[in-house]
Amino acid sequence: MVKMKKFLTVISLASLLFFGGVSVKDSLLPVPTVQAKTKYAKAKIKLPAGYTKSALLKAYQGKPSAKFIKASMKGMKENTFSRTNASESAKDNRTKINPNKLTKAQLQELTSFSLRLINQARTQLGLPKWVYSSGAQKLAKDIAKEYVANKRGINNGDHYVAGIVRACKKNGLNFDDNYVEDMAGYYEPRTKITMTKMKKNIYFALKQMIFGYTGPNEKAISKKSYYREWEHAGDLFNTQGSPHDGDYDYYGFSISKVGKVYSLHFIGVPHFAVNDPKYNLNFKVN
């Protein structure tokens, strides 16, 4: 298969398990927030000057420039929704959700939230927007079911490729590896959290992926040594040095839970693969 997504080492709230040698429990800490008067505003992702497609491609290939690392560090610092008392609405602060038993409306809200952030960043790079797809959403749900059924999650340190492949084939995609999933996650002992907290978890996960940050929380964002993985960013921005750079994906999102660890599944089905009968045997976009 022409390279679309690379089989990635998972970078998430669990990342230090693989890079820094800390325990799973310590590396899956909830994202801290600063207590202050609540400000209501839509969460946004802004890319700093110096964060360009050409610089990202070099970072994706393992050769980030000093200027690009500096821009990524600035991005982690300036995009603050995940670490402040900000919220998108008073309703989000009041609404308690069970991430393991989301209603259809709640899952759709979180899917739209994550897609909005991804597309905000893509637009700043001059890239076409990813497109929500009910087919990709079904695939995301089936992938989450595979993780749960086989007791797999972010804490295992890699993608559950066998389950991803089974889910893809079930949904009519002829893939033999992980070409669809980026994954993050968090540790949470509580059954219910607010919608605001869930959105902050998603925001932090996407911020990590975009800016190559491998720390488990916001405390080390000023340490240059934690910026070293932009493979997820290459996926989110279809910038991997392949013939399909600049393309877009069909998007879906899901959450799985094993024990007290929640895994976030960001699913992107490449547009070009959907249009290729070699890969699309019976996948329905909508």
Side-chain angles (χ1 to χ4, degrees), residues 223-250:
K223 295 183 179 180
K224 184 178 178 180
S225 60
Y226 282 99
Y227 294 82
R228 53 178 180 259
E229 192 276 339
W230 286 273
E231 289 180 325
H232 284 79
D235 290 348
L236 293 174
F237 299 139
N238 298 84
T239 301
Q240 302 167 303
S242 86
H244 305 290
D245 278 13
D247 200 2
Y248 65 91
D249 288 6
Y250 293 105

Side-chain angles (χ1 to χ4, degrees), residues 204-222:
F204 179 67
L206 288 172
K207 192 168 70 165
Q208 275 189 306
M209 292 179 185
I210 290 170
F211 297 118
Y213 176 67
T214 64
N217 53 48
E218 306 266 4
K219 293 181 179 180
I221 60 175
S222 296

Side-chain angles (χ1 to χ4, degrees), residues 57-84:
L57 179 57
K58 290 181 180 179
Y60 177 85
Q61 295 169 337
K63 300 177 181 179
S65 67
K67 182 178 179 180
F68 184 72
I69 293 174
K70 184 177 180 180
S72 293
M73 293 177 71
K74 186 176 182 181
M76 282 297 297
K77 293 176 183 177
E78 292 185 346
N79 290 283
T80 61
F81 181 79
S82 53
R83 69 171 180 272
T84 68

Side-chain angles (χ1 to χ4, degrees), residues 162-257:
I164 292 170
V165 170
R166 279 195 297 271
C168 284
K169 292 188 181 300
K170 177 182 177 181
N171 285 272
L173 291 168
N174 186 29
F175 294 160
D176 60 2
D177 208 329
N178 173 29
Y179 298 104
V180 299
E181 179 187 76
D182 286 307
M183 182 167 62
Y186 64 96
Y187 171 85
E188 178 56 72
R190 295 168 294 182
T191 301
K192 291 187 176 183
I193 59 175
T194 65
M195 179 62 80
T196 293
K197 178 63 176 175
M198 189 66 243
K199 287 182 177 179
K200 288 179 183 290
N201 287 335
I202 292 171
Y203 184 95
F204 179 67
L206 288 172
K207 192 168 70 165
Q208 275 189 306
M209 292 179 185
I210 290 170
F211 297 118
Y213 176 67
T214 64
N217 53 48
E218 306 266 4
K219 293 181 179 180
I221 60 175
S222 296
K223 295 183 179 180
K224 184 178 178 180
S225 60
Y226 282 99
Y227 294 82
R228 53 178 180 259
E229 192 276 339
W230 286 273
E231 289 180 325
H232 284 79
D235 290 348
L236 293 174
F237 299 139
N238 298 84
T239 301
Q240 302 167 303
S242 86
H244 305 290
D245 278 13
D247 200 2
Y248 65 91
D249 288 6
Y250 293 105
Y251 182 71
F253 173 79
S254 63
I255 302 173
S256 63
K257 178 190 178 188

Side-chain angles (χ1 to χ4, degrees), residues 9-12 14-22 157 213-215 225-226 228-229 231:
T9 300
V10 179
I11 300 299
S12 66
S15 60
L16 288 192
L17 173 63
F18 317 113
F19 288 93
V22 301
Y213 176 67
T214 64
S225 60
Y226 282 99
R228 53 178 180 259
E229 192 276 339
E231 289 180 325

